[in-house]
């Protein structure tokens, strides 16, 4: 019972961290766009690392909760339409992350070489971050509906 509670708590807290990290990365990216100075890059990298870590925690705790025997079980989740919505949103978030992830890896390499990275795609990374934040909210909305049996009760 305690493990189940802790898994749920960590999973839920990771949503807040993920959302804050996405917003933080967008803010840091805007600072870099405005200043075009290497001194502003560490803020982007820190927020990006927080976003990546929170995503890993969300995925690990989510899989453990859904398929590790701690919650309702795989049969329930695989037949729950709101779970499918959550997983679709997660896949979209991960697909959207490919572009900024690869770009920010290149930025980190350039920064280590004490070179200014090409900031040409920074605005694109911000737009992607906006969509990712919306999709995180969709996941939370779907999870909240699942917890209350919205779809199953025919209330949607």
């Amino acid at each position: 019972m305690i493990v189940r509670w802790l898994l749920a708590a960590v999973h839920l807290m990771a949503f807040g961290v993920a959302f804050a990290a996405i917003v933080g990365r967008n803010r840091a990216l805007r600072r870099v766009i405005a200043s075009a100075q290497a001194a502003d890059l560490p803020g982007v990298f820190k927020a990006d690392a927080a976003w990546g870590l929170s995503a890993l925690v969300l995925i690990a705790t989510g899989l453990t909760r859904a398929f590790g025997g701690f919650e309702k079980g795989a049969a329930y989740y695989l037949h729950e339409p709101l779970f499918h919505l959550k997983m679709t949103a997660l896949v979209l978030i991960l697909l959207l992350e490919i572009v900024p992830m690869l770009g920010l890896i290149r930025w980190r390499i350039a920064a280590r070489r004490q070179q200014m990275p090409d900031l040409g795609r920074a605005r694109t990374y911000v737009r992607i971050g906006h969509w990712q934040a919306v999709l995180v909210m969709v996941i939370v909305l779907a999870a909240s509906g699942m917890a209350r049996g919205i779809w199953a009760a025919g209330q949607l």
Side-chain angles (χ1 to χ4, degrees), residues 56-76:
L56 289 174
V57 169
L58 280 168
I59 292 168
T61 57
L63 287 172
T64 302
R65 290 180 72 208
F67 304 111
F70 292 99
E71 296 292 336
K72 296 172 183 149
Y76 169 81

Side-chain angles (χ1 to χ4, degrees), residues 20-26 28 42-53 108:
I22 293 168
V23 170
R25 183 174 77 177
N26 276 0
V44 174
F45 300 151
K46 286 177 188 172
D48 186 58
W51 169 215
L53 183 59
R108 283 182 172 92

Side-chain angles (χ1 to χ4, degrees), residues 32-45:
V32 168
I33 292 167
S35 73
Q37 303 226 352
D40 291 319
L41 290 173
V44 174
F45 300 151

Side-chain angles (χ1 to χ4, degrees), residues 4-27:
R4 185 176 169 194
W5 167 64
L6 288 174
L7 276 171
V10 170
H11 190 66
L12 291 172
M13 287 186 280
F15 279 108
V17 173
F19 188 82
I22 293 168
V23 170
R25 183 174 77 177
N26 276 0
R27 284 185 182 150

Side-chain angles (χ1 to χ4, degrees), residues 59-146:
I59 292 168
T61 57
L63 287 172
T64 302
R65 290 180 72 208
F67 304 111
F70 292 99
E71 296 292 336
K72 296 172 183 149
Y76 169 81
Y77 290 105
L78 294 176
H79 292 92
E80 172 60 50
L82 289 174
F83 181 76
H84 290 273
L85 175 62
K86 284 176 58 175
M87 293 303 100
T88 300
L90 174 64
V91 168
L92 289 173
I93 287 169
L94 296 174
L95 289 173
L96 285 169
E97 185 60 23
I98 292 169
V99 170
M101 178 183 65
L102 294 176
L104 293 175
I105 288 170
R106 286 190 292 273
W107 285 21
R108 283 182 172 92
I109 292 168
R112 280 191 203 113
R113 294 179 181 162
Q114 298 185 345
Q115 300 170 347
M116 188 62 180
D118 177 9
L119 303 178
R121 306 277 317 258
R123 282 186 174 78
T124 300
Y125 304 160
V126 171
R127 281 191 296 278
I128 288 170
H130 288 301
W131 283 108
Q132 289 175 315
V134 168
L135 289 167
V136 167
M137 289 187 279
V138 166
I139 291 173
V140 171
L141 185 66
S144 152
M146 283 176 58

